[in-house]
Every structure is written in C-alpha cells, then in structure tokens.
Amino acid sequence: MRIPLNIFFKDARLVFKMDELGLDITSIALPAAMALTADPIASLVDTAFIGQIGPVELAAVGVSIAVFNQASRIVIFPLVSVTTSFVAEEDTLATASPEVKEIENLEMGLAANSENKKLIPQTDLVENTYKSEPLTDTVKSGNGKRKIPSASSALFIGSILGLVQTIFLILAAKPLLNFMGVKSDSPMLQPAQQYLTLRSLGAPAVLLSLAMQGVFRGFKDTKTPLYATVAGDAMNIILDPIFIFVFRLGISGAAIAHVISQYLISIILLWRLWQQVDLLPLSFKHMQFSRFLKNGFLLLMRVIAVTFCVTLAASMAARQGATSMAAFQVCLQVWLATSLLADGLAVAGQAILASAFAKKDYEQARATASRVLQLGLVLGFVLALILGVGLQFGAKLFTNDVNVLHLISVGIPFVAATQPINALAFVFDGVNFGASDFAYSAYSMVMVAIVSILILFVLSWSHGFIGIWVALTIYMSLRAFAGFWR
C-alpha cells in the first residue's frame, strides 16, 4: 500500500494562508474549540461555588459528575460524530450540481449488489475507504427548509438515549456511587446521590443539544453551537450563587442551575435548527436508523476502548498511592484539556472532507487533509513549548505538596512531548470520520487498546509513575500511526 508521506508537505507554504480553504477551516475550528472549552470553564466556576459549601459536598459532587460524564460520554461521541458526517454528506448532495448527482446515482446503481462502496479510487489519497450504504436523496421541502433525514434521525435517537440515561442513573445512582467507592456509611453518599439524581434530569437536554451540535457541524456552522453554549453556561454561572446561597438549596441548587442551563442550550439550538431544517416526522425508511445504529455501534466500541485505556492508567496510578494519583490527575487533566484545541481542527477536517467526498472532489479532500494535518502538527509543537515551560511554574496552582510537585515535574516532559503526537492523532480521527470510515476507526482503536493495555500493565509494574506515562505515550503514538496508515 502506498503511504503518502508528502501529505505533510503538500503546499506546506500555504499552511497559514487565509485563502478559501484556510478561512473555511478557521471559521469551523475556532468556534468549535471555543465551544468545547466553554463547558470546562463553566464547570470550574461551578466547582468554586460548590467548594464554598464544604469539602464533603465538593467531593460528593466530584464523584457524581464523574459518573454522569462517563455515562454520557459513551453515547455522546458516537452520536455527534456519525451525525456530523451524515448531515455534511446529505447537505452537500442536496445542493450538488446535476452532474455530481448523476455520478452519485450511477455509483449507487453499480453498488446496489455490494454491501460496501469505495469512496476514493485506489490511486488517490485515501485508499480502501468505504461507505456503508448509499445516501438517501435530500431535497428542499415545500416551505423552503432543507430536508435532511439524518437531522431528524439524530434528534429522535438523542432524545430516546437521553430519557434512557435519566431513568438508568436515577434507578442505579446508589449502586453506581458504591462502585465508585462511596459506601453506605460515607458522609458523601447522601449529597452525591441527591446531586446525581437531579443532574440526571438534564440528560435528555444534554444528548439532544449534542445531537443538534452534530447537525450544525455537518452544515459547517460551529458558531451557532458556540453562542448557545456560552448563553447556557452564562445562565449556569448566574443561577449558581442564587440557588446555592440566596435560596439556600446547597448542592441541589447547583444541580438545578446546571439542568436549567442545559435545557436553555437545547431550546436555542432547536429554535435555530427549526428555522433551517424540516424536522417533521419522516418515514421509517428515510430515518435511516440502521445506518445510524451500525456506525454508532462501531464508534461505541471505539469510545469504550479509549475510555478503558485512560481509566486503567488512572487506576494504576491510584494503586501506587495518594501522592502518585494526585500528580497523575494534574498531569492527565492538563494533557486532556489541551486536546480540545486539536479537536477543533478535527471537527473542521471532518465536516469539509465529508462534503468533499460527497461531491467527489478528491483534490479538495487531499488539500483539506494536508492543511489540517499541517496545522495540527504546528499546534502540537506550540502546545509542547507552552506546557514544557509553563507547567513547571503553573504546577503550584494545583498543589503545594512537595512530593506531588516532584512527581508532576517527572510527568511534565511526557505531557509536553506528546502534544504533537496527540494533535496528529485527533486530526487523523477527523479525517477518517470525514470519510465515514467508522469501521476502520473502531477496529484499529480496539487493537491499539489491547496492545496499550498490555504495555501499561508491564511498564507500570516495572517503572511505576514513569512507566505509566511511557505507556500513555506509546498509546497515543499507536493511535496516530493507525490514523496515518489508513
């Protein structure tokens, strides 16, 4: 198989040029990255308010948020990623020229007896990339709105999953908290269960809003989700002190404020989407549930593999004692937070590539892949420099413990040096998702996880804290290589 190394150097002199492609990437990536960082910032403010109540309440809320986020993450990533690609393809075909539609119809006819369809010729940039099913025709509805079947499907699936998550978390709150180490005699149990139960009421809004964010990303519109997210998070920050201190609702007030903010985000996005897309009920055939479920299940496998690797690394650090776990937690949160910037580029790459593939514009696909990978590499080196220097001084913002600070200093070189690798891995994910190559993304990630888990067990046992970070570096390197190989 020909591996195009020149993809990193193709038109490299144009990497920062604000031409049509550069403006397209920037207009998608920048708001996406800002929207991704808005919620963690709001959560930090949330944590600061809750911390004023007491340490028990702060710890209880921390455990509850971890449970809620873990349950949400399993379904959020597949739903958003699949929706973005499907909507981008359908929206592009809806506005495609007659020539492009004629080619698409011809290829669908030729592939009618085949389960898979080659997306790009063998001699092109991405080889052996497949699509699962022919796209459904997309047309303008009678009221002038776009008729995008995947948009309606995503909203329906997101709503159902949200309701299921709410019921599950309410009924299983106590067992889940016990599993997380909050036992029946713990003073954290009552406030943790109370917060998790109330917070669960917002699950339908969370999944519905994220499904709609996937739709807007497919339209290459990341500004609308940004505005909605900022409005919701601002509402959360305003309501927090009112409910917690003025109404004296404590952590219940914090949970209620967060739920209200999530429903506000959903209402804003639904209102904007209703203006652009015909969301009236479609036939079962047009809803394409089989296509969503098939690819969503593949990405679910991928999310579980990724989550298990990182969770296992944290578990290995915890087994080495409180000092090791505290240092690992600081390094890990910084390590993960910086990935949000690369995720913005991945979103841009996915949306533009999905559109280019739908139009059979492989030259644009090549140019887009090269540009986002080059920008990802540059971003990675910039982050490496900033973290390598800044974290040496910034570590004291997290703790004053000398032993913890020493271990953080040991982890800093790994956190900094892996930034270019991480950026490439995330951008490669966006490239593969843009090609709707969900099967390869899932299977390759499972293989990477199996190898990484074995390495993690061996190195954490033989080299302790350093071994864990060496294993995580190998894990991200394998992820980046898997994306590059495809």
Side-chain angles (χ1 to χ4, degrees), residues 260-322:
I260 291 174
S261 72
Q262 291 302 320
Y263 277 100
L264 176 62
I265 293 173
S266 291
I267 291 171
I268 293 172
L269 290 175
L270 187 59
W271 171 64
R272 291 293 298 156
L273 192 61
W274 187 268
Q275 293 178 325
Q276 302 179 36
V277 179
D278 191 348
L279 297 175
L280 294 177
L282 300 171
S283 67
F284 187 83
K285 175 184 176 182
H286 285 86
M287 294 290 276
Q288 306 178 69
F289 287 128
S290 63
R291 192 166 177 242
F292 260 89
L293 294 176
K294 177 181 178 181
N295 291 285
F297 178 75
L298 289 170
L299 287 184
L300 178 61
M301 290 170 49
R302 190 179 187 281
V303 171
I304 293 173
V306 171
T307 303
F308 190 80
C309 282
V310 177
T311 304
L312 181 62
S315 174
M316 293 297 181
R319 293 172 189 274
Q320 295 175 13

Short mmCIF file of all heavy atoms in Angstrom, two decimals, residues 260-322:
data_model
loop_
_atom_site.label_atom_id
_atom_site.label_comp_id
_atom_site.label_asym_id
_atom_site.label_seq_id
_atom_site.Cartn_x
_atom_site.Cartn_y
_atom_site.Cartn_z
N ILE A 260 -31.12 23.58 34.20
CA ILE A 260 -31.77 24.69 33.50
C ILE A 260 -30.90 25.19 32.35
O ILE A 260 -31.39 25.47 31.25
CB ILE A 260 -32.07 25.85 34.49
CG1 ILE A 260 -33.16 25.42 35.47
CG2 ILE A 260 -32.51 27.11 33.73
CD1 ILE A 260 -33.42 26.43 36.57
N SER A 261 -29.59 25.30 32.60
CA SER A 261 -28.68 25.79 31.56
C SER A 261 -28.64 24.84 30.36
O SER A 261 -28.58 25.29 29.21
CB SER A 261 -27.27 25.97 32.13
OG SER A 261 -26.63 24.73 32.37
N GLN A 262 -28.72 23.54 30.61
CA GLN A 262 -28.69 22.57 29.53
C GLN A 262 -29.96 22.64 28.68
O GLN A 262 -29.91 22.53 27.46
CB GLN A 262 -28.51 21.15 30.09
CG GLN A 262 -27.14 20.89 30.70
CD GLN A 262 -26.01 21.11 29.71
OE1 GLN A 262 -26.11 20.74 28.54
NE2 GLN A 262 -24.93 21.72 30.18
N TYR A 263 -31.10 22.82 29.33
CA TYR A 263 -32.35 22.95 28.56
C TYR A 263 -32.38 24.27 27.78
O TYR A 263 -32.96 24.33 26.69
CB TYR A 263 -33.55 22.84 29.49
CG TYR A 263 -33.92 21.39 29.78
CD1 TYR A 263 -33.52 20.77 30.96
CD2 TYR A 263 -34.62 20.64 28.84
CE1 TYR A 263 -33.83 19.45 31.21
CE2 TYR A 263 -34.93 19.31 29.08
CZ TYR A 263 -34.53 18.71 30.27
OH TYR A 263 -34.83 17.39 30.51
N LEU A 264 -31.76 25.31 28.31
CA LEU A 264 -31.67 26.57 27.58
C LEU A 264 -30.86 26.38 26.30
O LEU A 264 -31.25 26.87 25.22
CB LEU A 264 -31.03 27.66 28.45
CG LEU A 264 -30.78 29.01 27.76
CD1 LEU A 264 -32.10 29.62 27.29
CD2 LEU A 264 -30.05 29.97 28.70
N ILE A 265 -29.74 25.67 26.40
CA ILE A 265 -28.91 25.40 25.22
C ILE A 265 -29.72 24.63 24.18
O ILE A 265 -29.69 24.96 22.98
CB ILE A 265 -27.65 24.60 25.62
CG1 ILE A 265 -26.73 25.46 26.49
CG2 ILE A 265 -26.90 24.13 24.37
CD1 ILE A 265 -25.55 24.69 27.07
N SER A 266 -30.46 23.63 24.63
CA SER A 266 -31.26 22.81 23.71
C SER A 266 -32.34 23.64 23.02
O SER A 266 -32.58 23.50 21.81
CB SER A 266 -31.92 21.65 24.46
OG SER A 266 -30.96 20.72 24.87
N ILE A 267 -33.00 24.51 23.77
CA ILE A 267 -34.07 25.34 23.21
C ILE A 267 -33.51 26.28 22.14
O ILE A 267 -34.11 26.45 21.06
CB ILE A 267 -34.78 26.14 24.33
CG1 ILE A 267 -35.58 25.18 25.21
CG2 ILE A 267 -35.70 27.21 23.73
CD1 ILE A 267 -36.13 25.83 26.47
N ILE A 268 -32.37 26.90 22.43
CA ILE A 268 -31.75 27.82 21.46
C ILE A 268 -31.39 27.07 20.17
O ILE A 268 -31.68 27.53 19.06
CB ILE A 268 -30.50 28.49 22.06
CG1 ILE A 268 -30.89 29.41 23.21
CG2 ILE A 268 -29.74 29.28 21.00
CD1 ILE A 268 -29.72 29.97 24.00
N LEU A 269 -30.74 25.92 20.32
CA LEU A 269 -30.32 25.15 19.15
C LEU A 269 -31.52 24.63 18.36
O LEU A 269 -31.52 24.65 17.13
CB LEU A 269 -29.43 23.98 19.57
CG LEU A 269 -28.04 24.34 20.09
CD1 LEU A 269 -27.31 23.10 20.59
CD2 LEU A 269 -27.22 25.01 18.99
N LEU A 270 -32.56 24.17 19.07
CA LEU A 270 -33.75 23.65 18.39
C LEU A 270 -34.46 24.76 17.62
O LEU A 270 -34.93 24.55 16.49
CB LEU A 270 -34.70 23.02 19.41
CG LEU A 270 -35.93 22.29 18.85
CD1 LEU A 270 -35.49 21.15 17.92
CD2 LEU A 270 -36.79 21.76 19.98
N TRP A 271 -34.53 25.93 18.21
CA TRP A 271 -35.15 27.08 17.54
C TRP A 271 -34.40 27.44 16.27
O TRP A 271 -35.01 27.66 15.21
CB TRP A 271 -35.19 28.27 18.50
CG TRP A 271 -35.62 29.56 17.86
CD1 TRP A 271 -36.84 29.83 17.30
CD2 TRP A 271 -34.83 30.74 17.71
NE1 TRP A 271 -36.85 31.11 16.80
CE2 TRP A 271 -35.64 31.70 17.04
CE3 TRP A 271 -33.52 31.09 18.09
CZ2 TRP A 271 -35.17 32.98 16.74
CZ3 TRP A 271 -33.07 32.36 17.78
CH2 TRP A 271 -33.88 33.29 17.12
N ARG A 272 -33.07 27.48 16.34
CA ARG A 272 -32.26 27.81 15.16
C ARG A 272 -32.35 26.71 14.12
O ARG A 272 -32.42 26.99 12.91
CB ARG A 272 -30.81 28.03 15.58
CG ARG A 272 -30.57 29.27 16.40
CD ARG A 272 -30.82 30.53 15.60
NE ARG A 272 -29.89 30.61 14.47
CZ ARG A 272 -30.13 31.29 13.35
NH1 ARG A 272 -31.28 31.92 13.19
NH2 ARG A 272 -29.23 31.32 12.38
N LEU A 273 -32.37 25.46 14.56
CA LEU A 273 -32.44 24.34 13.61
C LEU A 273 -33.80 24.29 12.92
O LEU A 273 -33.90 23.99 11.73
CB LEU A 273 -32.16 23.03 14.35
CG LEU A 273 -31.90 21.79 13.48
CD1 LEU A 273 -30.67 22.00 12.60
CD2 LEU A 273 -31.71 20.56 14.35
N TRP A 274 -34.86 24.59 13.68
CA TRP A 274 -36.21 24.57 13.13
C TRP A 274 -36.35 25.59 11.99
O TRP A 274 -37.14 25.39 11.06
CB TRP A 274 -37.21 24.86 14.23
CG TRP A 274 -38.65 24.71 13.80
CD1 TRP A 274 -39.47 25.67 13.30
CD2 TRP A 274 -39.41 23.50 13.80
NE1 TRP A 274 -40.71 25.15 13.01
CE2 TRP A 274 -40.70 23.81 13.31
CE3 TRP A 274 -39.13 22.18 14.20
CZ2 TRP A 274 -41.70 22.86 13.19
CZ3 TRP A 274 -40.14 21.24 14.07
CH2 TRP A 274 -41.40 21.58 13.58
N GLN A 275 -35.59 26.68 12.07
CA GLN A 275 -35.65 27.70 11.03
C GLN A 275 -34.98 27.25 9.73
O GLN A 275 -35.28 27.79 8.66
CB GLN A 275 -34.96 28.99 11.52
CG GLN A 275 -35.69 29.67 12.67
CD GLN A 275 -34.94 30.90 13.15
OE1 GLN A 275 -33.72 30.94 13.16
NE2 GLN A 275 -35.70 31.92 13.54
N GLN A 276 -34.09 26.27 9.82
CA GLN A 276 -33.32 25.86 8.65
C GLN A 276 -33.72 24.50 8.08
O GLN A 276 -33.57 24.26 6.89
CB GLN A 276 -31.82 25.81 9.01
CG GLN A 276 -31.25 27.12 9.51
CD GLN A 276 -29.79 26.99 9.87
OE1 GLN A 276 -29.03 26.27 9.21
NE2 GLN A 276 -29.37 27.67 10.92
N VAL A 277 -34.21 23.61 8.94
CA VAL A 277 -34.42 22.23 8.53
C VAL A 277 -35.86 21.82 8.79
O VAL A 277 -36.45 22.19 9.82
CB VAL A 277 -33.46 21.27 9.28
CG1 VAL A 277 -33.71 19.83 8.87
CG2 VAL A 277 -32.02 21.66 9.01
N ASP A 278 -36.42 21.04 7.87
CA ASP A 278 -37.76 20.48 8.06
C ASP A 278 -37.64 19.27 8.99
O ASP A 278 -37.14 18.22 8.60
CB ASP A 278 -38.33 20.06 6.71
CG ASP A 278 -39.80 19.71 6.79
OD1 ASP A 278 -40.30 19.57 7.93
OD2 ASP A 278 -40.46 19.56 5.75
N LEU A 279 -38.10 19.43 10.22
CA LEU A 279 -37.95 18.38 11.23
C LEU A 279 -39.24 17.59 11.45
O LEU A 279 -39.37 16.89 12.44
CB LEU A 279 -37.50 18.99 12.57
CG LEU A 279 -36.14 19.67 12.55
CD1 LEU A 279 -35.87 20.34 13.89
CD2 LEU A 279 -35.03 18.68 12.22
N LEU A 280 -40.18 17.72 10.50
CA LEU A 280 -41.41 16.95 10.63
C LEU A 280 -41.12 15.46 10.52
O LEU A 280 -40.14 15.07 9.88
CB LEU A 280 -42.40 17.38 9.54
CG LEU A 280 -42.92 18.83 9.65
CD1 LEU A 280 -43.83 19.13 8.46
CD2 LEU A 280 -43.68 19.03 10.95
N PRO A 281 -41.94 14.61 11.11
CA PRO A 281 -41.68 13.16 11.08
C PRO A 281 -41.56 12.63 9.65
O PRO A 281 -42.35 12.98 8.78
CB PRO A 281 -42.91 12.58 11.79
CG PRO A 281 -43.41 13.69 12.65
CD PRO A 281 -43.13 14.95 11.89
N LEU A 282 -40.55 11.83 9.43
CA LEU A 282 -40.33 11.20 8.13
C LEU A 282 -40.70 9.72 8.22
O LEU A 282 -40.95 9.19 9.29
CB LEU A 282 -38.86 11.35 7.72
CG LEU A 282 -38.35 12.78 7.59
CD1 LEU A 282 -36.84 12.76 7.39
CD2 LEU A 282 -39.01 13.50 6.43
N SER A 283 -40.72 9.05 7.08
CA SER A 283 -40.99 7.62 7.07
C SER A 283 -39.83 6.87 7.71
O SER A 283 -38.72 7.39 7.79
CB SER A 283 -41.20 7.13 5.64
OG SER A 283 -39.99 7.23 4.91
N PHE A 284 -40.09 5.66 8.15
CA PHE A 284 -39.04 4.86 8.80
C PHE A 284 -37.86 4.65 7.87
O PHE A 284 -36.71 4.67 8.29
CB PHE A 284 -39.63 3.51 9.22
CG PHE A 284 -38.68 2.67 10.03
CD1 PHE A 284 -38.55 2.89 11.40
CD2 PHE A 284 -37.90 1.68 9.44
CE1 PHE A 284 -37.68 2.13 12.16
CE2 PHE A 284 -37.02 0.93 10.19
CZ PHE A 284 -36.91 1.15 11.56
N LYS A 285 -38.14 4.48 6.56
CA LYS A 285 -37.08 4.27 5.58
C LYS A 285 -36.17 5.47 5.50
O LYS A 285 -34.94 5.35 5.46
CB LYS A 285 -37.71 3.98 4.22
CG LYS A 285 -36.69 3.86 3.09
CD LYS A 285 -37.37 3.68 1.75
CE LYS A 285 -36.35 3.67 0.61
NZ LYS A 285 -37.01 3.55 -0.71
N HIS A 286 -36.75 6.68 5.49
CA HIS A 286 -35.95 7.89 5.36
C HIS A 286 -35.17 8.21 6.63
O HIS A 286 -34.18 8.94 6.59
CB HIS A 286 -36.84 9.07 4.98
CG HIS A 286 -37.28 9.06 3.55
ND1 HIS A 286 -38.40 8.38 3.13
CD2 HIS A 286 -36.74 9.63 2.44
CE1 HIS A 286 -38.54 8.54 1.83
NE2 HIS A 286 -37.55 9.28 1.38
N MET A 287 -35.60 7.69 7.77
CA MET A 287 -34.91 7.99 9.02
C MET A 287 -33.56 7.29 9.11
O MET A 287 -32.71 7.66 9.92
CB MET A 287 -35.77 7.57 10.21
CG MET A 287 -37.06 8.37 10.36
SD MET A 287 -36.79 10.07 10.88
CE MET A 287 -36.67 9.87 12.64
N GLN A 288 -33.33 6.25 8.33
CA GLN A 288 -32.03 5.57 8.23
C GLN A 288 -31.49 5.10 9.58
O GLN A 288 -30.31 5.26 9.89
CB GLN A 288 -30.99 6.50 7.60
CG GLN A 288 -31.40 7.09 6.26
CD GLN A 288 -30.35 8.02 5.73
OE1 GLN A 288 -29.26 7.59 5.34
NE2 GLN A 288 -30.64 9.30 5.71
N PHE A 289 -32.36 4.52 10.40
CA PHE A 289 -31.92 4.09 11.72
C PHE A 289 -30.84 3.01 11.64
O PHE A 289 -29.91 2.99 12.45
CB PHE A 289 -33.11 3.56 12.52
CG PHE A 289 -34.03 4.63 13.00
CD1 PHE A 289 -35.39 4.56 12.76
CD2 PHE A 289 -33.54 5.72 13.70
CE1 PHE A 289 -36.25 5.55 13.21
CE2 PHE A 289 -34.38 6.72 14.15
CZ PHE A 289 -35.74 6.64 13.89
N SER A 290 -30.95 2.10 10.65
CA SER A 290 -29.96 1.03 10.55
C SER A 290 -28.58 1.60 10.29
O SER A 290 -27.58 1.11 10.84
CB SER A 290 -30.35 0.05 9.44
OG SER A 290 -30.36 0.70 8.18
N ARG A 291 -28.52 2.62 9.48
CA ARG A 291 -27.23 3.26 9.17
C ARG A 291 -26.64 3.93 10.41
O ARG A 291 -25.45 3.85 10.69
CB ARG A 291 -27.44 4.27 8.05
CG ARG A 291 -26.16 4.81 7.43
CD ARG A 291 -26.48 5.53 6.13
NE ARG A 291 -25.27 6.11 5.57
CZ ARG A 291 -25.08 7.41 5.38
NH1 ARG A 291 -26.03 8.25 5.70
NH2 ARG A 291 -23.96 7.86 4.87
N PHE A 292 -27.49 4.63 11.16
CA PHE A 292 -27.05 5.28 12.39
C PHE A 292 -26.58 4.24 13.41
O PHE A 292 -25.51 4.39 14.02
CB PHE A 292 -28.20 6.10 13.00
CG PHE A 292 -28.12 7.56 12.70
CD1 PHE A 292 -28.70 8.09 11.57
CD2 PHE A 292 -27.45 8.42 13.55
CE1 PHE A 292 -28.63 9.44 11.29
CE2 PHE A 292 -27.36 9.77 13.29
CZ PHE A 292 -27.96 10.28 12.15
N LEU A 293 -27.38 3.20 13.61
CA LEU A 293 -27.07 2.21 14.64
C LEU A 293 -25.81 1.43 14.30
O LEU A 293 -24.99 1.14 15.17
CB LEU A 293 -28.25 1.27 14.83
CG LEU A 293 -29.52 1.91 15.39
CD1 LEU A 293 -30.66 0.92 15.44
CD2 LEU A 293 -29.26 2.49 16.78
N LYS A 294 -25.65 1.07 13.01
CA LYS A 294 -24.48 0.30 12.61
C LYS A 294 -23.20 1.07 12.87
O LYS A 294 -22.26 0.57 13.51
CB LYS A 294 -24.58 -0.07 11.13
CG LYS A 294 -23.37 -0.82 10.60
CD LYS A 294 -23.51 -1.14 9.12
CE LYS A 294 -22.26 -1.84 8.58
NZ LYS A 294 -22.39 -2.13 7.13
N ASN A 295 -23.14 2.31 12.38
CA ASN A 295 -21.93 3.12 12.56
C ASN A 295 -21.78 3.62 13.98
O ASN A 295 -20.66 3.76 14.48
CB ASN A 295 -21.95 4.28 11.57
CG ASN A 295 -21.79 3.83 10.13
OD1 ASN A 295 -20.71 3.47 9.69
ND2 ASN A 295 -22.88 3.84 9.38
N GLY A 296 -22.92 3.88 14.64
CA GLY A 296 -22.86 4.29 16.03
C GLY A 296 -22.30 3.20 16.92
O GLY A 296 -21.53 3.47 17.85
N PHE A 297 -22.67 1.95 16.64
CA PHE A 297 -22.14 0.83 17.42
C PHE A 297 -20.63 0.70 17.23
O PHE A 297 -19.89 0.42 18.18
CB PHE A 297 -22.83 -0.47 17.02
CG PHE A 297 -22.31 -1.68 17.74
CD1 PHE A 297 -22.65 -1.91 19.06
CD2 PHE A 297 -21.45 -2.57 17.10
CE1 PHE A 297 -22.15 -3.01 19.74
CE2 PHE A 297 -20.95 -3.68 17.77
CZ PHE A 297 -21.31 -3.90 19.09
N LEU A 298 -20.16 0.92 16.00
CA LEU A 298 -18.72 0.85 15.74
C LEU A 298 -17.98 1.91 16.56
O LEU A 298 -16.94 1.62 17.17
CB LEU A 298 -18.45 1.06 14.24
CG LEU A 298 -18.86 -0.08 13.31
CD1 LEU A 298 -18.77 0.36 11.86
CD2 LEU A 298 -17.98 -1.30 13.55
N LEU A 299 -18.52 3.12 16.59
CA LEU A 299 -17.86 4.17 17.36
C LEU A 299 -18.02 3.96 18.86
O LEU A 299 -17.18 4.41 19.65
CB LEU A 299 -18.41 5.54 16.96
CG LEU A 299 -17.97 6.04 15.58
CD1 LEU A 299 -18.49 7.44 15.32
CD2 LEU A 299 -16.44 6.04 15.47
N LEU A 300 -19.09 3.27 19.26
CA LEU A 300 -19.24 2.92 20.68
C LEU A 300 -18.11 2.00 21.12
O LEU A 300 -17.55 2.17 22.21
CB LEU A 300 -20.60 2.24 20.90
CG LEU A 300 -20.90 1.78 22.32
CD1 LEU A 300 -20.91 2.96 23.28
CD2 LEU A 300 -22.24 1.05 22.38
N MET A 301 -17.77 1.03 20.27
CA MET A 301 -16.61 0.16 20.55
C MET A 301 -15.36 1.00 20.74
O MET A 301 -14.55 0.77 21.64
CB MET A 301 -16.39 -0.81 19.38
CG MET A 301 -17.44 -1.89 19.24
SD MET A 301 -17.24 -2.79 17.67
CE MET A 301 -15.48 -3.16 17.69
N ARG A 302 -15.21 1.99 19.89
CA ARG A 302 -14.02 2.84 19.91
C ARG A 302 -13.95 3.66 21.20
O ARG A 302 -12.89 3.77 21.83
CB ARG A 302 -14.04 3.77 18.70
CG ARG A 302 -12.77 4.53 18.48
CD ARG A 302 -12.88 5.41 17.25
NE ARG A 302 -11.60 6.01 16.95
CZ ARG A 302 -11.10 7.06 17.60
NH1 ARG A 302 -11.80 7.62 18.57
NH2 ARG A 302 -9.92 7.54 17.28
N VAL A 303 -15.08 4.24 21.60
CA VAL A 303 -15.12 5.06 22.82
C VAL A 303 -14.80 4.21 24.05
O VAL A 303 -14.05 4.65 24.94
CB VAL A 303 -16.51 5.72 22.98
CG1 VAL A 303 -16.64 6.37 24.34
CG2 VAL A 303 -16.73 6.73 21.88
N ILE A 304 -15.36 3.02 24.10
CA ILE A 304 -15.09 2.13 25.23
C ILE A 304 -13.60 1.79 25.31
O ILE A 304 -13.01 1.78 26.40
CB ILE A 304 -15.93 0.85 25.13
CG1 ILE A 304 -17.42 1.18 25.31
CG2 ILE A 304 -15.50 -0.19 26.15
CD1 ILE A 304 -18.36 0.03 25.06
N ALA A 305 -12.98 1.53 24.16
CA ALA A 305 -11.54 1.21 24.12
C ALA A 305 -10.71 2.39 24.62
O ALA A 305 -9.79 2.22 25.43
CB ALA A 305 -11.13 0.82 22.70
N VAL A 306 -11.04 3.59 24.13
CA VAL A 306 -10.30 4.80 24.55
C VAL A 306 -10.47 5.05 26.04
O VAL A 306 -9.50 5.29 26.76
CB VAL A 306 -10.78 6.02 23.74
CG1 VAL A 306 -10.18 7.31 24.31
CG2 VAL A 306 -10.41 5.88 22.27
N THR A 307 -11.72 5.00 26.50
CA THR A 307 -12.02 5.28 27.90
C THR A 307 -11.34 4.28 28.82
O THR A 307 -10.80 4.64 29.88
CB THR A 307 -13.54 5.24 28.14
OG1 THR A 307 -14.18 6.17 27.27
CG2 THR A 307 -13.88 5.58 29.57
N PHE A 308 -11.34 3.00 28.41
CA PHE A 308 -10.75 1.96 29.25
C PHE A 308 -9.25 2.18 29.43
O PHE A 308 -8.71 2.00 30.52
CB PHE A 308 -11.00 0.59 28.65
CG PHE A 308 -10.64 -0.55 29.57
CD1 PHE A 308 -11.50 -0.93 30.58
CD2 PHE A 308 -9.43 -1.21 29.44
CE1 PHE A 308 -11.17 -1.96 31.45
CE2 PHE A 308 -9.09 -2.25 30.30
CZ PHE A 308 -9.96 -2.62 31.31
N CYS A 309 -8.57 2.60 28.36
CA CYS A 309 -7.12 2.83 28.44
C CYS A 309 -6.79 3.93 29.46
O CYS A 309 -5.92 3.76 30.32
CB CYS A 309 -6.56 3.22 27.07
SG CYS A 309 -6.35 1.83 25.96
N VAL A 310 -7.49 5.06 29.36
CA VAL A 310 -7.21 6.18 30.25
C VAL A 310 -7.63 5.86 31.68
O VAL A 310 -6.92 6.18 32.64
CB VAL A 310 -7.93 7.46 29.74
CG1 VAL A 310 -7.71 8.61 30.71
CG2 VAL A 310 -7.43 7.83 28.35
N THR A 311 -8.79 5.21 31.83
CA THR A 311 -9.26 4.83 33.17
C THR A 311 -8.31 3.85 33.84
O THR A 311 -8.02 3.95 35.04
CB THR A 311 -10.67 4.22 33.09
OG1 THR A 311 -11.55 5.14 32.45
CG2 THR A 311 -11.20 3.89 34.48
N LEU A 312 -7.80 2.89 33.07
CA LEU A 312 -6.86 1.92 33.61
C LEU A 312 -5.57 2.60 34.06
O LEU A 312 -5.00 2.25 35.10
CB LEU A 312 -6.54 0.84 32.56
CG LEU A 312 -5.58 -0.26 33.00
CD1 LEU A 312 -6.16 -1.05 34.17
CD2 LEU A 312 -5.24 -1.19 31.84
N ALA A 313 -5.11 3.59 33.28
CA ALA A 313 -3.90 4.33 33.66
C ALA A 313 -4.11 5.04 34.99
O ALA A 313 -3.23 5.02 35.87
CB ALA A 313 -3.54 5.34 32.57
N ALA A 314 -5.29 5.64 35.18
CA ALA A 314 -5.59 6.31 36.45
C ALA A 314 -5.65 5.29 37.59
O ALA A 314 -5.18 5.56 38.70
CB ALA A 314 -6.92 7.06 36.34
N SER A 315 -6.21 4.13 37.31
CA SER A 315 -6.28 3.08 38.32
C SER A 315 -4.88 2.62 38.75
O SER A 315 -4.62 2.41 39.93
CB SER A 315 -7.08 1.89 37.78
OG SER A 315 -7.06 0.82 38.68
N MET A 316 -3.99 2.49 37.76
CA MET A 316 -2.61 2.08 38.06
C MET A 316 -1.90 3.13 38.92
O MET A 316 -1.13 2.81 39.82
CB MET A 316 -1.83 1.87 36.75
CG MET A 316 -2.31 0.69 35.94
SD MET A 316 -2.09 -0.86 36.84
CE MET A 316 -2.71 -2.05 35.66
N ALA A 317 -2.18 4.41 38.63
CA ALA A 317 -1.57 5.48 39.43
C ALA A 317 -2.12 5.46 40.85
O ALA A 317 -1.38 5.65 41.82
CB ALA A 317 -1.85 6.83 38.77
N ALA A 318 -3.43 5.20 41.00
CA ALA A 318 -4.04 5.16 42.33
C ALA A 318 -3.47 4.03 43.18
O ALA A 318 -3.34 4.17 44.40
CB ALA A 318 -5.56 5.01 42.19
N ARG A 319 -3.13 2.92 42.52
CA ARG A 319 -2.57 1.78 43.25
C ARG A 319 -1.19 2.09 43.83
O ARG A 319 -0.72 1.40 44.73
CB ARG A 319 -2.47 0.56 42.33
CG ARG A 319 -3.82 0.00 41.91
CD ARG A 319 -3.67 -1.08 40.85
NE ARG A 319 -4.95 -1.48 40.30
CZ ARG A 319 -5.75 -2.40 40.83
NH1 ARG A 319 -5.38 -3.04 41.93
NH2 ARG A 319 -6.91 -2.69 40.26
N GLN A 320 -0.55 3.12 43.28
CA GLN A 320 0.79 3.49 43.77
C GLN A 320 0.73 4.48 44.92
O GLN A 320 1.77 4.89 45.44
CB GLN A 320 1.60 4.08 42.61
CG GLN A 320 1.88 3.07 41.50
CD GLN A 320 2.58 3.69 40.31
OE1 GLN A 320 3.07 4.81 40.39
NE2 GLN A 320 2.63 2.96 39.21
N GLY A 321 -0.47 4.88 45.33
CA GLY A 321 -0.61 5.76 46.49
C GLY A 321 -1.23 7.10 46.14
O GLY A 321 -1.36 7.47 44.97
N ALA A 322 -1.59 7.85 47.18
CA ALA A 322 -2.27 9.14 47.01
C ALA A 322 -1.39 10.17 46.30
O ALA A 322 -1.86 10.95 45.48
CB ALA A 322 -2.72 9.67 48.36
#
